[in-house]
Amino acid sequence: MPLNPFPDSIEKNTLRRRDAIALRSFKTLVGAPLTYCGLTSAEARDIVIWRESLSSVCAVEIDDATRSNLHINWRQLNVGLPLKVIAGDIFNYLQAADTPCYDVYNLDMYGGFTYSRKSNSSPCRDAVRSLCARHRQEKRSFALLSTFNVRDTGVEQYDALLGEIKLCLEGLEGIDPNLKEHGRTHATKIKLCYMYMCWHAGQTHDFHVEFADPIFYNSGKTNLVHFYSEFRFRSQALPTPHADRDRLVQLATTPLRKMSGRISSIELRPTSIVKPSA
Ligand SMILES: C[S@@+](CC[C@H](N)C(=O)[O-])C[C@H]1O[C@@H](n2cnc3c(N)ncnc32)[C@H](O)[C@@H]1O
């Protein structure tokens, strides 16, 4: 069977299994097996573990050889789900006007969250906004899984996002030490900035965004941060992002966990943020 062009690890597989449990509950919430769109790579290991919660697979793959290997493997894996394969960049696909809604998106790309293209924008952030707008039109919830390499460039964009968060939470106690802790490493910056970006995009489009604790882990020689989130559509408009500081406070005080083997520990427990005492 042709192999994936990247290393696997116990940690990565443990996370696939953790997410399988979350997706089973999400399937119950949605009321039907889930349509998947994402990066399966050649071996579709995520699909093999999640298959009981899925009804179809749309695999997006930028690499020609990996796409052809996926076709070969799919026959052997015998997962019993319909497969559609899209050639190209997943961020372009998610932003295209004729892309349909799916229930689960797996952005497992080993790439960065904020990195500058020529336009100096983040393709991931643009894609999440597109997803929110499309799903809002259909009043449809979705699960979003993302895994980011922590060696990417674009650190200055994280600092800009941390500045935005500081403005939102101005006047609360604990915000300075909390943001200092989040500013310490690339992984802690991604943790808060990605959650903030999802919360902001979700809130603006009437989604309540729930997160599992994000996980920092190592796979091969690469350090990664992994997120599982659910964007739950609310038919009543939510408060504007600025008016819902309590939720942002919860995200800023969510711990970053670290996975070593199958054992999870706390990598960062951020300082609490509270209203100033009178
Ligand atoms: C880490 S693997 C996915 C692993 C898979 N989810 C699993 O659980 O085993 C990432 C795959 O996405 C492809 N890829 C990376 N960036 C991409 C992009 N922007 N658009 C489409 N495919 C991409 C890579 O070629 C690779 O095959």
Side-chain angles (χ1 to χ4, degrees), residues 4-6 8 12 16 36 39-42 44-46 60-63 66 88-91 106 108-110:
N4 283 334
F6 63 90
D8 216 86
K12 189 161 182 61
R16 289 188 191 103
Y36 166 107
L39 306 174
T40 64
S41 203
R45 290 186 185 209
D46 48 357
V60 187
E61 177 56 59
I62 205 160
D63 180 65
T66 304
D89 184 318
I90 193 160
F91 296 123
N106 190 13
D108 183 10
M109 83 281 291
Y110 269 46

Side-chain angles (χ1 to χ4, degrees), residues 12 27 63 235 249 268 273:
K12 189 161 182 61
K27 175 179 123 181
D63 180 65
S235 48
V249 165
L268 169 68
I273 301 172

Side-chain angles (χ1 to χ4, degrees), residues 237-251:
L238 293 167
T240 61
H242 217 84
D244 190 25
R245 296 205 307 178
D246 292 350
R247 182 72 188 125
L248 183 54
V249 165
Q250 285 168 3
L251 299 183

